[in-house]
């Protein structure tokens, strides 16, 4: 799913234009080249640039570029940091964000009557946005078909995470007291709190995760993470397992510490098969395998765990930061071996990006 489609068309076009300018190596950029690369009219590009410049000044207090009759020159504040600010700003203005918040608060999709009273949306606008929301959600949920509740949580998580938006702080959450979360970075803390915020909203709306969404063993449940949730012990265990397996998948907890026993019985055989496939693939790279046995085991555990978790967890990679081709260009020999191993694994399992 392309998460920029969450935005209004005009804001999405501005983000695409911003990245096109940002990736251009020239100090002066020909407007005609922009028109051709964006497949847009001169009038539309000029309109986008004017609005874009206004938004940059609104967010940074300075214009982002000097626009002449035929060229433009980006200023110093025309940066990836400004791009992140703009993505968040446009998302906060998006009707999709409103609908996601309402779904979290109410448990189900809001009625037109509620949105009309609360936000003064016209009827035709509401149904346009509802159709857009349904299409976006369908496109996302088709990627991972686990269960509806898990799909919905990851759909909303990915939307907020992609745009770097977080509307609330969990005041009752003290993650630093958990021994597994004492040294997490600010980015990891953002991810952890964002998912906890979504879980809390859904549970308070009486929406509980199903067993189908869980692959890790019940022994890993740590109820102290979610003591603030007013639910029964059995439901609390399920929700805790959902959060913990997300923590491992997102790198908040060290996934390399997981072994086959950390997963449910039906997943342990998959874990062992994935691990063996990987071991066979790297054997030819290491003549003295015994010297690296601990590192190999940890790496095998991490890859095997990620492959299993990827069936029920899904985080959209930001298209602006992903550069797999760089690895292929710099390490062609290793890339060839990695590709072979991945191809073999993909015959049986879905592989994380």
């Amino acid at each position: 799913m392309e998460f920029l489609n969450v935005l209004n068309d005009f804001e999405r076009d501005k983000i695409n234009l911003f990245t096109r300018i940002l990736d251009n190596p020239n100090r002066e950029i020909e407007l005609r080249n922009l028109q051709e690369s964006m497949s847009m009219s001169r009038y539309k590009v000029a309109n986008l640039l004017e609005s874009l410049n206004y938004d940059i000044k609104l967010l940074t207090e300075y214009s982002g570029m000097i626009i002449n009759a035929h060229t433009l020159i980006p200023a110093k504040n025309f940066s990836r940091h400004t791009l992140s600010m703009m993505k968040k700003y446009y998302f906060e203005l998006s009707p999709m964000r409103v609908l996601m918040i309402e779904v979290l608060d109410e448990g189900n999709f809001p009625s037109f009557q509620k949105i009309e009273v609360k936000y003064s949306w016209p009827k035709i606008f509401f149904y346009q946005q509802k159709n857009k929301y349904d299409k976006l959600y369908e496109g996302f949920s088709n990627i991972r078909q686990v269960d509806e509740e898990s799909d919905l949580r990851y759909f909303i998580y990915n939307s907020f995470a992609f745009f770097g938006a977080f509307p609330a702080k969990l005041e009752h959450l003290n993650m630093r007291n958990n021994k597994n979360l004492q040294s997490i970075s600010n980015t990891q803390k953002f991810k952890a709190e964002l998912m906890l915020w979504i879980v809390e909203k859904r549970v308070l709306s009486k929406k509980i995760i199903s067993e189908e969404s869980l692959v890790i063993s019940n022994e890993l449940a740590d109820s102290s993470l979610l003591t603030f949730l007013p639910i029964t012990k059995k439901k609390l265990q399920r929700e805790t397992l959902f959060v913990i397996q997300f923590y491992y998948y997102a790198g908040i907890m060290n996934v390399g510490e997981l072994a086959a026993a950390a997963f449910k019985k039906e997943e342990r055989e998959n874990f062992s098969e994935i691990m063996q496939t990987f071991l066979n693939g790297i054997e030819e790279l290491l003549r003295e395998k015994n010297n690296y046995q601990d590192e190999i085991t940890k790496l095998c555990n991490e890859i095997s765990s990620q492959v299993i978790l990827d069936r029920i967890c899904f985080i959209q990679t930001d298209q602006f930061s992903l550069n797999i081709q760089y690895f292929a260009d710099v390490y062609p020999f290793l890339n060839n071996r990695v590709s072979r191993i991945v191809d073999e694994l993909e015959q049986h399992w879905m592989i994380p990006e």
Side-chain angles (χ1 to χ4, degrees), residues 82-329:
T82 303
L83 174 62
S84 297
M85 293 172 65
M86 295 188 68
K87 284 168 60 181
K88 182 178 179 180
Y89 174 63
Y90 291 154
F91 179 67
E92 289 174 347
L93 299 176
S94 168
M96 291 300 103
R97 177 185 175 277
V98 170
L99 294 178
M100 289 176 193
I101 294 289
E102 291 298 324
V103 167
L104 286 177
D105 285 341
E106 297 298 319
N108 298 300
F109 199 87
S111 66
F112 164 65
Q113 289 77 12
K114 178 182 178 181
I115 296 297
E116 181 184 34
V117 170
K118 196 170 180 179
Y119 301 101
S120 301
W121 287 10
K123 191 171 186 177
I124 188 170
F125 182 77
F126 169 80
Y127 284 104
Q128 285 173 344
Q129 299 308 315
K130 182 183 184 304
N131 290 339
K132 180 178 179 179
Y133 176 95
D134 291 342
K135 186 176 180 181
L136 288 169
Y137 177 63
E138 181 182 2
F140 178 85
S141 61
N142 284 340
I143 299 172
R144 294 288 187 279
Q145 296 179 340
V146 181
D147 75 283
E148 187 175 350
E149 180 60 26
S150 177
D151 286 345
L152 178 64
R153 293 182 185 192
Y154 275 100
F155 172 63
I156 295 177
Y157 170 86
N158 276 278
S159 298
F160 276 86
F162 181 85
F163 293 102
F166 190 28
K169 287 290 183 183
L170 294 175
E171 300 297 338
H172 45 255
L173 177 66
N174 190 355
M175 300 182 62
R176 303 291 180 179
N177 288 339
N178 188 298
K179 64 181 180 179
N180 294 312
L181 304 173
Q182 289 178 351
S183 59
I184 63 175
S185 66
N186 288 333
T187 299
Q188 291 171 326
K189 191 169 188 289
F190 167 82
K191 293 178 180 179
E193 290 190 346
L194 177 58
M195 182 56 86
L196 278 180
W197 173 72
I198 292 169
V199 168
E200 181 184 34
K201 289 280 189 181
R202 294 299 290 173
V203 169
L204 292 178
S205 299
K206 305 189 184 308
K207 302 293 182 179
I208 305 298
I209 207 71
S210 72
E211 289 287 347
E212 298 172 11
S213 304
L214 307 172
V215 293
I216 60 174
S217 170
N218 291 341
E219 283 69 30
L220 268 67
D222 180 4
S223 57
S224 64
L225 276 175
L226 303 177
T227 51
F228 55 88
L229 293 179
I231 50 177
T232 64
K233 186 176 180 180
K234 184 176 181 180
K235 291 178 179 178
L236 181 63
Q237 183 184 58
R238 264 192 273 166
E239 291 295 342
T240 301
L241 290 173
F242 175 82
V243 169
I244 289 176
Q245 68 187 18
F246 166 77
Y247 282 179
Y248 280 117
Y249 184 74
I252 298 164
M253 289 181 173
N254 185 4
V255 71
E257 295 177 354
L258 294 180
F263 293 91
K264 290 187 173 180
K265 185 177 180 181
E266 55 268 29
E267 299 291 347
R268 292 173 190 170
E269 184 177 347
N270 282 333
F271 185 99
S272 299
E273 289 179 7
I274 295 166
M275 192 165 186
Q276 192 57 52
T277 301
F278 183 74
L279 279 172
N280 295 340
I282 66 170
E283 237 176 14
E284 60 190 90
L285 296 176
L286 299 173
R287 294 180 180 178
E288 300 178 6
K289 188 171 65 173
N290 290 336
N291 293 346
Y292 305 98
Q293 194 58 53
D294 289 344
E295 289 83 355
I296 293 172
T297 300
K298 185 176 180 180
L299 184 59
C300 286
N301 285 354
E302 181 170 347
I303 289 176
S304 302
S305 300
Q306 286 284 5
V307 172
I308 292 175
L309 289 170
D310 194 59
R311 183 173 66 80
I312 44 82
C313 302
F314 179 59
I315 299 176
Q316 173 79 28
T317 304
D318 190 333
Q319 62 172 336
F320 304 123
S321 63
L322 184 66
N323 190 356
I324 294 175
Q325 190 58 41
Y326 173 83
F327 182 81
D329 292 340

Side-chain angles (χ1 to χ4, degrees), residues 323-336 338:
N323 190 356
I324 294 175
Q325 190 58 41
Y326 173 83
F327 182 81
D329 292 340
V330 178
Y331 306 103
F333 174 76
L334 282 176
N335 181 71
N336 178 265
V338 170

Side-chain angles (χ1 to χ4, degrees), residues 4 6 27 34 36 66 73 136 175 187 200 218 326 339:
L4 283 181
V6 168
R27 173 169 168 74
L34 277 181
E36 293 174 356
I66 300 171
I73 302 174
L136 288 169
M175 300 182 62
T187 299
E200 181 184 34
N218 291 341
Y326 173 83
S339 297

